[in-house]
Amino acid sequence: MLFVYRRTRRRTPRWWTSRPQGAAVVAVALTDAAHGRIIASASASGDVTFFRVSHSDEGSSLSRVGYAATGTPTGGVAFAPAGLRAFHAPTLAFAGADGVLRFFAPRDASTATAWEEVGTYEGKTPGAALTSVAWRRGGETSGVVDFPVIATTATYSSDREHSIAVNVLAYDATYARWNLLKEIRGGSLPTRAELTARARCSTWSPTTTARGALDLAIVAGTQCVIYEFTGVTVNSVESAREIGMLAHDYEVNNASWNASGSALATAARDGVVRLWTANLQSGAWQEYAETK
């Protein structure tokens, strides 16, 4: 069942849900307000259903406005941020277990109906399964990076081990295509013999650094690895380097940046939320607070 929650302006909050849609929902995404309120839900079988949220004096409701069958389970779904000049309609990225990144958009942008596949990107690693997808959100319409950027994580088999790869892509609106800027393997990314090796999430810092760099955090196993990308264009990246490895004693489930990109919160299976920041002098990332 897909649950949708909205707090009304009434003094007593009222919450509402959608009706069951068959197979279990394993991923969900919500558009920015500028695109209206569109929800995408992905089922365990790889079906994607799109809903539009409507509000009236009588209450709120969900109406189905689109459907797509991908035929493969998903590692995650995410809507593009509003304001991207390259896209004129809300666009959903679907990370497939078959290693293909699929993009969906409505045929009629004004009503957000008749959703269809509008593009794909297939990674270069044979047998890879995508496990997460993240759009870079803050500052896409201004500053040094004013084009869509996406990060995906994937699990693949190599020499009887299951390893993790990170791909960073940029959209070239001139040629209407996604370009691979950087593929990262190894380093502090864990390599395991178990089938459970996977990156749980990837998240971009919402702002560029003082040097115009983009920071990306990858949650994998008991680690959260932070990468810095400088000189990012639609065709290439000048440099990509690991700038932080936040080690935990237990598996990390999630990570989230603050609004300025100066601090990162992580949540682990030991029930502790930790707050991390970079030392202003050395640049080394370190833990400075945790829940008790």
Side-chain angles (χ1 to χ4, degrees):
M1 175 183 289
L2 172 65
F3 291 87
V4 182
Y5 300 92
R6 173 178 179 264
R7 186 168 183 168
T8 67
R9 295 182 179 178
R10 298 181 179 183
R11 190 167 295 176
T12 301
R14 188 158 58 98
W15 309 95
W16 47 277
T17 71
S18 74
R19 295 180 179 179
Q21 298 298 319
V25 175
V26 296
V28 65
L30 180 67
T31 59
D32 292 341
H35 281 150
R37 285 303 185 194
I38 306 297
I39 297 172
S41 67
S43 72
S45 59
D47 297 338
V48 185
T49 308
F50 299 89
F51 303 90
R52 181 174 54 238
V53 183
S54 302
H55 308 302
S56 66
D57 293 338
E58 286 74 29
S60 303
S61 62
L62 286 175
S63 56
R64 177 170 154 169
V65 293
Y67 170 82
T70 67
T72 183
T74 182
V77 293
F79 275 109
L84 291 176
R85 292 193 293 268
F87 304 137
H88 304 291
T91 302
L92 181 80
F94 176 100
D98 58 356
V100 179
L101 185 62
R102 295 172 173 82
F103 298 91
F104 297 91
R107 193 177 309 148
D108 187 341
S110 61
T111 60
T113 56
W115 286 74
E116 59 187 359
E117 186 177 293
V118 295
T120 61
Y121 179 86
E122 187 169 358
K124 302 182 184 302
T125 304
L130 298 182
T131 57
S132 75
V133 58
W135 297 83
R136 181 178 176 270
R137 299 193 64 83
E140 283 90 346
T141 58
S142 63
V144 296
V145 181
D146 59 354
F147 45 85
V149 176
I150 272 184
T152 65
T153 58
T155 298
Y156 67 97
S157 297
S158 175
D159 298 328
R160 299 183 180 180
E161 290 187 332
H162 289 260
S163 304
I164 294 171
V166 179
N167 283 348
V168 175
L169 312 171
Y171 186 74
D172 187 342
T174 302
Y175 298 100
R177 69 187 183 194
W178 287 93
N179 296 326
L180 176 63
L181 302 184
K182 186 68 177 179
E183 182 180 49
I184 299 174
R185 304 185 191 184
S188 292
L189 291 176
T191 300
R192 297 183 182 175
E194 303 97 295
L195 293 174
T196 56
R198 67 189 299 267
R200 288 185 174 271
C201 83
S202 51
T203 177
W204 289 99
S205 171
T207 60
T208 57
T209 66
R211 301 191 302 120
L214 308 182
D215 289 348
L216 174 69
I218 302 293
V219 169
T222 59
Q223 302 162 4
C224 179
V225 188
I226 303 176
Y227 297 97
E228 179 190 70
F229 301 87
T230 58
V232 179
T233 71
V234 295
N235 297 308
S236 63
V237 57
E238 183 177 301
S239 68
R241 65 188 184 103
E242 182 182 313
I243 61 172
M245 199 280 285
L246 318 183
H248 298 65
D249 293 329
Y250 293 83
E251 190 169 2
V252 186
N253 291 323
N254 210 341
S256 180
W257 293 91
N258 68 341
S260 66
S262 60
L264 186 73
T266 59
R269 294 191 65 180
D270 58 358
V272 178
V273 175
R274 294 171 173 83
L275 202 57
W276 309 77
T277 189
N279 184 285
L280 294 178
Q281 294 182 342
S282 66
W285 280 81
Q286 56 194 17
E287 178 185 342
Y288 75 92
E290 66 178 40
T291 58
K292 300 298 183 181

